Amino acid sequence: MSAPDTTEPRALYGQFPTALRFSVRDQTRNRLAGLLLVLFVPAWYLLMDALASGEVLDFKLYATGRVLHVDGGHLTLISAGLNSVTMIAGFVVFDAVRKALAFDRRLVFAGYRQSTLLGAKTLAIAVIAGAIALYTALAILFFWRPTVGGWFAVLTGYTVIALTYGALGLLLGVLVKRDLEGFFLIIMGGLMDTFLQNPLGNPLANKPVLQWFPSFGPMQFAAGGSFGHTALWGHLALGLVWAASFSAVGLVIFHIRTRNRNRRAARDSANGLARDL
């Protein structure tokens, strides 16, 4: 009796680390996004703090019904950080996913399971989103020193909005046909979304309609923890619902666009992949 073949299980077991390495590598090779993170975030904080410092604003916490009288500069720093995170996280993931889509399709043709690639993409987005959120939250300390609990509320809000727009970047990366379309939707969507949450620039910022925007939950959580000493977990969960929804739709489309439809095309693509590797 011949011994059981363990080559295939071992190969399948080793697929995930390889796919994760490819995904993280693709998302960290964007030098422009790195420069935006390192240089744009502090500059954006500096500008917003100079424009809004000293203003007193009314900000409504919808979970409690309280209206907080807060320093406009500090509130604007939170919304400026949210704005930075949305654009950078969305841009990084969109660019990486769009450029790697053809390569991912060839990986499937070469024998990689789609579930492995889906898991690797999701984990890579979470890692990159967390790193972007952490840097942005640390940078805010040069302009404002909230309490420890307030800072962690800001960090958590930034992480959730980074996951949301990272998931949006994934969705657009597998959906739109040209780079310009994706960049426009991410930049304009992020600007409108986060700008409308701040009463300084939007007189309607305390209106119920804003509850339908992706940044509403993270903004409420960050502001509630920083100014109201209240942990609005339900609103944070609302932000996670946006992230999960974008991810689910994006991963379904990714699954459809990378599935193996033709054995001959799969064999040819696998041979080309072997030569590239």
Side-chain angles (χ1 to χ4, degrees), residues 37-259:
L37 183 64
V38 174
L39 301 178
F40 173 76
V41 171
W44 191 233
Y45 277 147
L46 180 62
L47 177 60
M48 292 296 101
D49 185 57
L51 291 176
S53 181
E55 294 281 345
V56 178
L57 300 178
D58 294 332
F59 186 83
K60 184 176 181 179
L61 291 180
Y62 281 85
T64 63
R66 295 171 57 195
V67 177
L68 305 177
H69 303 283
V70 302
D71 186 304
H74 296 163
L75 184 64
T76 300
L77 285 174
I78 294 177
S79 63
L82 287 172
N83 176 239
S84 301
V85 168
T86 59
M87 290 191 292
I88 296 173
F91 172 53
V92 166
V93 177
F94 168 76
D95 186 61
V97 169
R98 182 155 180 77
K99 289 181 178 177
L101 186 60
F103 183 74
D104 289 330
R105 188 180 296 114
R106 293 167 67 184
L107 284 176
V108 173
F109 288 168
Y112 273 70
R113 291 174 298 182
Q114 285 183 301
S115 59
T116 299
L117 295 180
L118 294 175
K121 291 286 184 189
T122 304
L123 182 56
I125 290 172
V127 170
I128 297 302
I132 293 172
L134 178 60
Y135 176 85
T136 308
L138 288 173
I140 205 173
L141 295 177
F142 289 97
F143 305 91
W144 171 42
R145 293 297 177 92
T147 64
V148 174
W151 182 81
F152 275 104
V154 171
L155 172 61
T156 305
Y158 285 179
T159 301
V160 171
I161 199 65
L163 289 172
T164 300
Y165 274 78
L168 178 61
L170 167 66
L171 172 59
L172 294 176
V174 297
L175 184 62
V176 302
K177 295 182 178 181
R178 290 181 292 272
D179 290 343
L180 183 60
E181 297 170 359
F183 294 149
F184 176 82
L185 290 173
I186 290 169
I187 292 173
M188 295 306 298
L191 281 173
M192 294 178 60
D193 184 14
T194 56
F195 171 78
L196 292 175
Q197 302 294 335
N198 190 342
L200 180 65
N202 176 29
L204 303 179
N206 290 320
K207 297 297 182 180
V209 67
L210 295 181
Q211 297 179 67
W212 299 102
F213 287 75
S215 67
F216 172 78
M219 182 68 177
Q220 287 282 309
F221 187 86
S226 301
F227 306 118
H229 308 291
T230 304
L232 305 178
W233 297 109
H235 287 77
L236 189 68
L238 182 63
L240 291 174
V241 169
W242 277 99
S245 300
F246 285 143
S247 294
V249 178
L251 291 174
V252 168
I253 297 175
F254 178 84
H255 183 274
I256 293 173
R257 296 197 62 182
T258 59
R259 62 185 176 184

